[in-house]
Amino acid sequence: MNSDGGHEITRGVVSDDGIIHIELSKEPVSYHIVRCLADGITSEQSRSLAISSCWLVCMCTDVIRGRQTTAMLQRRVTGECLQRLETLAQLMQDHVRSHRGPEDRLRFLPVVPHKLIGMFVSATTLELSAYLTIGRTQRWANLVLRRIGGRWMCTVADIG
């Protein structure tokens, strides 16, 4: 892994590897993004999208847990995706109200990202998985980012 944000080339496939330093994590968050079909995507753009994705996955998780509203996501997430997040957040709130248990404390602990793994499936689409922890609970999240007009927007946020 090239930890300085550079790239490695293996059999014609370019991968961007690096680390991101964020507030909530004691350790840096590593990322690995493959650019096998993405003409015109640079290492700098990969890094920038990794940083944005890291922020997005934490915010989406907090929305689902009822800690944030979708207002902060409106410029980065499509309307359909926002609607799905709001629906899931409502379902989670209903579940928590009717099923009190030890996992309730997970709502109050921070989301800590550890690793991002992504692939440009085209020059306008990045599919990314993120490994997260909330307390001692491990989660995986999947995001799909698409370039719509001149902006990268999240079209799918699947938080497990």
Side-chain angles (χ1 to χ4, degrees):
M1 179 182 285
N2 188 346
S3 63
D4 66 354
H7 64 274
E8 297 178 8
I9 300 175
T10 307
R11 294 188 207 171
V13 175
V14 177
S15 66
D16 298 309
D17 300 283
I19 55 173
I20 304 167
H21 297 278
I22 62 164
E23 294 176 25
L24 296 176
S25 182
K26 293 177 185 175
E27 299 293 323
V29 178
S30 65
Y31 68 89
H32 174 77
I33 299 178
V34 177
R35 293 186 282 139
C36 58
L37 299 172
D39 294 334
I41 301 294
T42 66
S43 294
E44 293 78 23
Q45 288 169 317
S46 287
R47 180 173 176 75
S48 177
L49 286 168
I51 293 167
S52 295
S53 298
C54 195
W55 179 85
L56 269 171
V57 77
C58 291
M59 290 303 298
C60 289
T61 303
D62 279 345
V63 165
I64 291 168
R65 297 187 312 153
R67 293 183 52 157
Q68 293 285 338
T69 66
T70 57
M72 291 183 71
L73 298 173
Q74 288 180 348
R75 294 185 45 82
R76 296 182 179 180
V77 177
T78 62
E80 184 178 350
C81 187
L82 280 175
Q83 194 172 28
R84 288 179 185 158
L85 288 170
E86 288 169 346
T87 300
L88 184 54
Q90 185 61 49
L91 290 170
M92 291 296 291
Q93 280 183 348
D94 293 347
H95 177 76
V96 167
R97 272 183 251 166
S98 63
H99 297 87
R100 295 276 181 202
E103 66 276 354
D104 290 350
R105 64 182 169 76
L106 294 179
R107 287 187 19 189
F108 304 105
L109 297 171
V111 177
V112 180
H114 296 278
K115 185 170 191 74
L116 303 170
I117 304 166
M119 176 182 288
F120 282 99
V121 295
S122 74
T124 59
T125 304
L126 171 64
E127 295 184 5
L128 187 124
S129 294
Y131 170 66
L132 318 164
T133 55
I134 303 170
R136 293 185 180 175
T137 303
Q138 300 174 9
R139 297 280 186 250
W140 281 95
N142 294 305
L143 299 179
V144 175
L145 302 178
R146 287 202 170 89
R147 190 174 335 146
I148 301 172
R151 185 186 307 165
W152 286 91
M153 300 286 289
C154 180
T155 59
V156 175
D158 180 18
I159 315 295

